[in-house]
Amino acid sequence: MGKEEEDAWVVMKTARAPSNIAVIKYWGKRDEKLILPINSSISVTLDPEHLSATTTVAASPAFERDRLWLNGKEVSVEGERYRNCLREMRARATDVVIESSGKVITKEVWSTLHIHIASENNFPTAAGLASSAAGFACLVYSLAQLMNVKEKYEGELTAIARLGSGSACRSLYGGFVKWNMGQEADGKDSIATQLAEQSHWEDLVIIIAVVSSRQKETSSTSGMQESVKTSPLLKYRAEEMVPKRIGQMEKAIKSMDFAEFARITCADSNQFHATCLDTSPPIFYLNDSSRRLIGLVERWNRHAGEPQVAYTFDAGPNAVMFAKNKEVAVQLLKRLLYQFPPSAEADLSRYDYLGHS
Amino acid sequence: MGKEEEDAWVVMKTARAPSNIAVIKYWGKRDEKLILPINSSISVTLDPEHLSATTTVAASPAFERDRLWLNGKEVSVEGERYRNCLREMRARATDVVIESSGKVITKEVWSTLHIHIASENNFPTAAGLASSAAGFACLVYSLAQLMNVKEKYEGELTAIARLGSGSACRSLYGGFVKWNMGQEADGKDSIATQLAEQSHWEDLVIIIAVVSSRQKETSSTSGMQESVKTSPLLKYRAEEMVPKRIGQMEKAIKSMDFAEFARITCADSNQFHATCLDTSPPIFYLNDSSRRLIGLVERWNRHAGEPQVAYTFDAGPNAVMFAKNKEVAVQLLKRLLYQFPPSAEADLSRYDYLGHS
């Protein structure tokens, strides 16, 4: 009876977190367990209307174990990444008052409660559109709401999201975000910080061309392990190239210098894919449709005399493109639809028109 | 009357030179005029039965200017590369006795005689199969025959072929050839030398898969100029990576270590294409068919436990593959024909089975 009352209650929170696209790429870990990168990275957060994860987390004494549903399908929550996030969040839980009953869930109770997690993406999973970034950012954010977690230092939650998926740490902020690789062994300083609100650069328009929604053959995790192990060019890139580019990109964003932003974004995307090709065995994420998109943009920019559009590709064939302004974005969509008619066999099947969040 | 007699005679020579495929790639010049490379390279000379140029050179007082026919079509001989080769060869001409008349063509006469050149390839031109290498090697060699040129130092002719097309210097020898980048400003020491006769490694079988016989969009000449100008990874590769690999490759060839030969060959091909991708705007020579070929070989080698086949791609989508021995070569052809049935839309249209020359 008393037990039944105990079991009766359940608390839950729902949150949504956007995906993000790196313009200075993250590829390679120096610590697999703590997910510490070999270089810093910079990203733009996408519009949650188009690319986001929505996660509901619930806690109840009636739950006998932690459980997880991704896009409606139950999957194991025993993976180290989920365990680490849950452990770190439980450790930071504080008193929560249940409004209906006035009952207080104390830190001690949180440590005994099991969590049910249900998460959904509104875009293809594992197709190089940073689904895991949105997913883990959303998990950490919703648990923070549920457990009333307060950050002891700025970016503390991003460091926990990082334990789930490196790039997830960049999805906890909107606009332009930098993930500082950090130096400390425990990863405390490997956190994300916001460089600028999206409102800082309103003209910028993001267009996503989904070349293929198939899941990628090589996961980012194993891909970057192979690259770190076998690509001498990746080591050189991380140590010599990226530090320079991070500074240049921060400056370009601060000054809204689209030409410079586009130059660095395209060059860094191509250099990232170059290090994948330098991996043994080589990793290919771009396909012939991706290359046609690149050709289209490069010809356009050359013809225009200065960059109008930038492209970047993560670990998949899908392009994220940045248009200088709305007029250019409309032109870009026209050209994409002309070059890749949805009917044609070219598997460029969908476009998304996004402002970024 | 005397004039007519003068005009009556013509001397000619015909020669054939094979193409070659680099296993340590040449990409980038430190001197555009003298065609001096930013790194040394190593190649395997192909079987002239399958990939070669045949050139006939003729001289007669009746010829009013130098003329050139490529694959039956007359083209200008005013290009610097042809001019340089002709100039250097004329400067080295020695007395030639015409058997029929006993007439002697002296060095002084050679300097006044015009040359007609007719050259043909038995394979697609400018499709990344080193047609210019075979062509200029053949031009220099046939002129040496015609003008009775004797080398003052070993490799002197290779340095002249280099003035026509860098990789041409490697086509003057059979078997395994090294192009030493050299140090001197005049390029005298940027010559090719033979590492080993083909007979040194008889087991090795070369198979060429012609993915496309279309001419490449980006010529090697302009492509490597762009890469030298814009790819930081190319600079690192040339200065830090290639010197190590040259030594490793020489050792692998000397000891007929196929596993090591295959490892370096594939890695260097992929790294070369990685630097093309790191170029701004990026250069793509591989297409989806090329990547399927690479995947086929990589899976096979991994499954076999040690490399059975190596692949390498020059500035085009066509694969040159090395099979460990004849048995493997037969297997490879079977798998290629199964994976790329000539009927299918995949544009892998032709295979060549070669022993190398």
Side-chain angles (χ1 to χ4, degrees):
Chain A
M1 170 63 166
K3 179 81 173 64
E4 266 163 35
E5 252 171 46
E6 269 307 298
D7 295 3
W9 62 270
V10 54
V11 285
M12 61 173 69
K13 290 282 183 187
T14 297
R16 186 172 70 167
S19 185
N20 73 79
I21 181 76
V23 288
I24 301 289
K25 300 298 187 187
Y26 151 55
W27 195 251
K29 303 181 180 74
R30 66 181 195 273
D31 184 317
E32 292 285 336
K33 222 177 175 51
L34 296 175
I35 309 191
L36 302 176
I38 59 175
N39 60 258
S40 299
S41 54
I42 292 177
S43 63
V44 181
T45 301
L46 301 176
D47 181 347
E49 285 306 323
H50 295 78
L51 291 175
S52 65
T54 301
T55 301
T56 299
V57 287
S60 167
F63 297 163
E64 289 163 354
R65 55 189 175 87
D66 296 332
R67 295 177 72 179
L68 169 66
W69 291 262
L70 286 184
N71 299 312
K73 198 168 152 299
E74 180 160 18
V75 298
S76 166
V77 73
E78 292 312 310
E80 190 180 35
R81 293 169 167 227
Y82 287 103
R83 293 253 67 91
N84 290 344
C85 288
L86 285 167
R87 184 192 66 244
E88 294 302 317
M89 293 308 287
R90 281 193 174 104
R92 289 165 174 76
T94 64
D95 292 1
V96 171
V97 180
I98 304 176
E99 283 164 17
S100 56
S101 62
K103 179 179 184 3
V104 176
I105 311 174
T106 63
K107 187 174 183 48
E108 294 63 39
V109 176
W110 279 120
S111 66
T112 67
L113 285 173
H114 292 296
I115 309 289
H116 284 187
I117 306 157
S119 188
E120 302 222 330
N121 297 327
N122 61 351
F123 61 96
T125 298
L129 290 172
S131 53
S132 63
F136 277 103
C138 201
L139 172 64
V140 167
Y141 184 77
S142 54
L143 287 174
Q145 301 302 305
L146 181 73
M147 299 176 172
N148 190 30
V149 173
K150 297 177 184 59
E151 287 192 320
K152 283 187 204 60
Y153 58 90
E154 199 216 344
E156 184 176 13
L157 285 182
T158 72
I160 298 171
R162 192 202 71 227
L163 295 172
S165 172
S167 52
C169 69
R170 296 186 313 234
S171 271
L172 283 164
Y173 301 108
F176 303 84
V177 182
K178 177 184 178 181
W179 175 12
N180 200 316
M181 67 180 287
Q183 305 301 335
E184 293 178 28
D186 65 1
K188 241 196 194 55
D189 59 345
S190 189
I191 60 171
T193 54
Q194 186 181 55
L195 294 174
E197 295 278 357
Q198 177 263 332
S199 58
H200 162 71
W201 198 345
E202 292 256 82
D203 282 355
L204 203 64
V205 179
I206 302 177
I207 287 174
I208 298 195
V210 176
V211 163
S212 164
S213 54
R214 280 198 308 278
Q215 294 211 359
K216 53 202 173 193
E217 287 165 22
T218 311
S219 77
S220 305
T221 303
S222 64
M224 55 178 85
Q225 282 173 0
E226 289 305 306
S227 295
V228 168
K229 238 187 293 165
T230 64
S231 170
L233 298 188
L234 175 62
K235 188 172 186 304
Y236 177 74
R237 159 184 165 70
E239 292 170 3
E240 304 298 324
M241 298 300 305
V242 174
K244 287 192 211 100
R245 285 181 174 175
I246 288 279
Q248 295 167 335
M249 180 58 86
E250 288 191 54
K251 204 156 145 290
I253 290 168
K254 205 182 202 72
S255 58
M256 291 175 283
D257 179 344
F258 185 81
E260 183 73 349
F261 174 83
R263 186 188 65 74
I264 305 167
T265 296
C266 298
D268 203 69
S269 174
N270 291 327
Q271 185 169 86
F272 152 54
H273 290 282
T275 63
C276 291
L277 185 44
D278 187 50
T279 301
S280 305
I283 303 166
F284 299 103
Y285 289 123
L286 305 178
N287 63 22
D288 283 348
S289 301
S290 316
R291 271 181 296 287
R292 280 180 57 208
L293 276 173
I294 291 174
L296 180 151
V297 172
E298 292 286 357
R299 282 189 301 276
W300 184 356
N301 289 342
R302 189 162 57 253
H303 183 265
E306 69 170 28
Q308 304 298 303
V309 176
Y311 56 82
T312 188
F313 296 79
D314 272 2
N318 301 313
V320 174
M321 286 174 281
F322 299 88
K324 191 175 179 179
N325 54 46
K326 287 209 168 34
E327 294 64 38
V328 172
V330 171
Q331 273 304 311
L332 176 56
L333 280 167
K334 281 189 190 156
R335 296 189 188 201
L336 287 174
L337 289 162
Y338 178 78
Q339 290 286 329
F340 301 90
S343 57
E345 86 252 338
D347 58 0
L348 183 69
S349 55
R350 195 181 112 218
Y351 308 102
D352 269 335
Y353 173 95
L354 291 80
H356 51 122
S357 78
Chain B
M1 173 68 164
K3 180 79 173 65
E4 267 165 35
E5 255 171 43
E6 269 306 297
D7 294 0
W9 61 270
V10 54
V11 285
M12 60 173 70
K13 289 282 184 191
T14 296
R16 186 171 71 168
S19 186
N20 73 78
I21 181 76
V23 288
I24 302 288
K25 301 298 188 188
Y26 152 55
W27 195 252
K29 304 182 181 72
R30 66 181 195 274
D31 184 318
E32 293 285 335
K33 221 178 176 52
L34 295 175
I35 308 190
L36 302 176
I38 60 174
N39 59 258
S40 298
S41 55
I42 292 177
S43 63
V44 182
T45 302
L46 302 175
D47 181 347
E49 285 305 323
H50 295 80
L51 292 176
S52 65
T54 302
T55 302
T56 298
V57 288
S60 167
F63 296 163
E64 288 163 354
R65 56 191 175 89
D66 297 332
R67 296 178 71 181
L68 168 67
W69 292 261
L70 286 184
N71 299 311
K73 197 167 153 300
E74 179 159 17
V75 298
S76 166
V77 72
E78 292 313 310
E80 190 179 37
R81 292 168 168 226
Y82 286 104
R83 293 255 66 90
N84 290 345
C85 288
L86 285 167
R87 184 192 65 244
E88 294 302 317
M89 294 306 289
R90 282 192 173 106
R92 289 164 174 78
T94 64
D95 292 1
V96 171
V97 179
I98 305 176
E99 284 166 13
S100 55
S101 62
K103 179 177 183 3
V104 177
I105 311 175
T106 63
K107 187 174 184 47
E108 293 61 39
V109 177
W110 279 120
S111 64
T112 67
L113 284 173
H114 292 295
I115 308 289
H116 285 188
I117 306 157
S119 188
E120 301 221 332
N121 297 327
N122 61 352
F123 61 96
T125 297
L129 290 172
S131 53
S132 63
F136 278 102
C138 201
L139 172 63
V140 166
Y141 184 77
S142 54
L143 287 173
Q145 302 302 305
L146 182 74
M147 300 176 171
N148 191 30
V149 173
K150 295 175 185 62
E151 287 192 320
K152 284 185 201 62
Y153 59 90
E154 199 217 346
E156 184 176 12
L157 285 183
T158 72
I160 298 171
R162 193 202 70 227
L163 295 173
S165 172
S167 52
C169 70
R170 297 186 312 234
S171 270
L172 283 163
Y173 301 107
F176 302 85
V177 182
K178 176 184 177 181
W179 174 12
N180 198 317
M181 68 179 285
Q183 306 300 336
E184 293 177 28
D186 67 359
K188 243 197 188 58
D189 59 346
S190 188
I191 60 170
T193 55
Q194 187 180 55
L195 294 175
E197 293 278 357
Q198 177 263 332
S199 58
H200 162 71
W201 197 345
E202 292 258 83
D203 281 356
L204 202 65
V205 180
I206 302 177
I207 288 174
I208 298 194
V210 176
V211 163
S212 164
S213 53
R214 280 197 309 276
Q215 294 211 0
K216 53 199 172 195
E217 286 166 21
T218 311
S219 78
S220 305
T221 302
S222 64
M224 57 179 83
Q225 282 172 359
E226 289 306 306
S227 294
V228 168
K229 240 187 291 164
T230 64
S231 171
L233 297 187
L234 176 61
K235 188 170 188 302
Y236 178 74
R237 159 184 164 70
E239 292 171 2
E240 304 298 324
M241 299 300 305
V242 173
K244 289 191 211 100
R245 285 182 173 173
I246 288 278
Q248 296 166 334
M249 180 58 85
E250 288 191 56
K251 205 156 144 291
I253 290 169
K254 207 182 199 74
S255 58
M256 290 175 283
D257 179 345
F258 184 81
E260 182 72 350
F261 174 83
R263 186 188 64 74
I264 306 167
T265 295
C266 298
D268 202 69
S269 174
N270 292 328
Q271 185 167 87
F272 151 55
H273 290 281
T275 63
C276 291
L277 184 46
D278 188 50
T279 302
S280 303
I283 303 166
F284 300 103
Y285 289 123
L286 305 177
N287 62 21
D288 283 349
S289 301
S290 316
R291 271 180 299 287
R292 281 180 57 208
L293 275 172
I294 290 174
L296 180 151
V297 172
E298 293 286 357
R299 283 189 301 277
W300 183 356
N301 288 343
R302 190 162 57 254
H303 183 265
E306 70 169 27
Q308 305 296 302
V309 176
Y311 57 81
T312 188
F313 296 79
D314 271 3
N318 302 312
V320 175
M321 285 173 282
F322 299 88
K324 192 175 179 179
N325 55 45
K326 285 209 170 33
E327 295 64 37
V328 172
V330 171
Q331 273 304 312
L332 175 58
L333 280 168
K334 281 187 191 157
R335 295 189 188 202
L336 287 173
L337 289 162
Y338 177 78
Q339 290 285 329
F340 301 89
S343 58
E345 87 250 339
D347 59 359
L348 182 70
S349 56
R350 198 180 109 218
Y351 308 102
D352 267 336
Y353 174 95
L354 292 80
H356 51 126
S357 81

